[in-house]
Amino acid sequence: MGEIFYMVKRNSLIFLRERSAVFFSLLSMLIVLALMVIFLGRMNSQSLVHMLSEYGGERDAAADERNAAYLIQLWTLAGILVVNAVTVTLTVTGAMVQDETEKRLMAFYVTPVSRLKLSLGYILAAWLVGTGMCLLTLAAGEIYFAVQGYGILGAGTLLKLTGMTGLNTFVFSAIAYLLALFVHNSSAWSGLLTIIGTLVGFAGGIYLPMDALSEQVQSVLKCLPVLHGAAMMRKVCTEEAVAETFLGLPEMAGDVFREAMGITVSAGKHAISEGYHTISVGEQVLLLLFYAIMAIGAAWVLSRRRKLK
């Protein structure tokens, strides 16, 4: 265990000591969060208010607008947490690619330390730093909500979100390490990070709601861990807000909204209208753990066979 602890400490400090990397990681989180809330958040909240008005009946328009805005901002925050879980872990895992570029990885491989422990050192460092950065984002979001007069999430909800954040960052840390085994220089890794950072928002149904995507695209996204990681966090974040926003309306209205926004994910086309199975949070947790185990197993096999130049 001492070897793993040393590698985790070393790899974490490589990122944390690079003050510019930490600063721009925090800055990019805040910028993306602000853009999502100001632009996409406003568009989605207006669509939600229109949806509520279509059900008819006597409704408080001002309350609907306020509830819709808060609900969409919570939905947005959950998605941003998953984006950060992917991008930050990729950035931290870049230490391994840098080690290979500068010939340090070969020195590690010829030591008595097993390659599994070396692999866990990179994975756990990315998990530790990624979780910390995501929790900082969550704190920033909560401060923003409090300033806007919405209050903050309950202790139970925050505890669940913390656990889910840890799970997401662990899964994406393992996947990031597996990807790093196929990249042999820092330039290529930077390019890959840029591509993944651009696509992850779409893969999680974050930049566009699920109902804005074709059925073929939705079917592909349902096979990816990003969507399930985002969905379970959205469900916890928005549970109370959805109940408040759709108060007085048929239960079906809330169900339609949850599926359209990717809060619930069905094992088929449309769970509500066609009776397909809705994937529970517990099933999503098991699915994410499966992805992590498969990624670690594949990475261990590849690292044992890997030969460095």
Side-chain angles (χ1 to χ4, degrees), residues 273-285:
S273 60
E274 301 181 24
Y276 284 90
H277 171 67
T278 298
I279 302 174
S280 67
V281 171
E283 290 170 332
Q284 288 172 326
V285 169

Side-chain angles (χ1 to χ4, degrees), residues 53-251:
S53 65
E54 286 185 338
Y55 280 92
E58 297 184 3
R59 297 194 61 82
D60 186 336
D64 280 347
E65 289 183 5
R66 182 172 178 80
N67 290 335
Y70 183 44
L71 172 55
I72 295 300
Q73 288 174 19
L74 286 171
W75 178 87
T76 300
L77 177 61
I80 293 299
L81 290 174
V82 176
V83 171
N84 290 344
V86 175
T87 56
V88 174
T89 54
L90 281 168
T91 302
V92 178
T93 307
M96 174 189 161
V97 180
Q98 185 177 358
D99 284 341
E100 180 176 356
T101 302
E102 298 179 5
K103 308 300 181 181
R104 287 190 295 264
L105 193 58
M106 181 179 292
F108 288 143
Y109 279 175
V110 297
T111 64
V113 181
S114 69
R115 294 197 178 188
L116 177 60
K117 290 182 179 179
L118 292 173
S119 300
L120 290 175
Y122 288 108
I123 292 171
L124 294 178
W127 168 75
L128 184 65
V129 175
T131 301
M133 298 293 278
C134 287
L135 292 180
L136 284 176
T137 304
L138 176 59
E142 287 293 274
I143 292 172
Y144 172 80
F145 295 146
V147 170
Q148 293 296 312
Y150 292 118
I152 60 175
L153 298 171
T157 300
L158 290 174
L159 185 61
K160 290 179 182 178
L161 287 175
T162 300
M164 290 179 176
T165 297
L167 174 60
N168 273 313
T169 53
F170 179 71
V171 173
F172 297 124
S173 296
I175 294 174
Y177 178 78
L178 178 61
L179 292 175
L181 292 174
F182 296 95
V183 181
H184 304 288
N185 63 75
S186 298
S187 298
W189 183 253
S190 297
L192 180 64
L193 197 154
T194 301
I195 294 172
I196 294 177
T198 303
L199 295 178
V200 65
F202 295 99
I206 296 164
Y207 299 152
L208 291 174
M210 288 293 286
D211 67 343
L213 305 174
S214 67
E215 292 182 358
Q216 291 79 8
V217 173
Q218 290 185 36
S219 297
V220 173
L221 297 186
K222 289 175 184 179
C223 299
L224 303 178
V226 178
L227 177 62
H228 295 285
M232 68 180 189
M233 296 192 73
R234 288 171 182 154
K235 186 172 183 180
V236 172
C237 267
T238 64
E239 186 173 5
E240 294 182 5
V242 169
E244 180 69 20
T245 303
F246 288 88
L247 184 65
L249 295 179
E251 184 178 351

Side-chain angles (χ1 to χ4, degrees), residues 254-267:
D255 293 339
V256 170
F257 172 79
R258 290 185 187 94
E259 187 174 4
M261 299 300 289
I263 298 173
T264 58
V265 180
S266 61

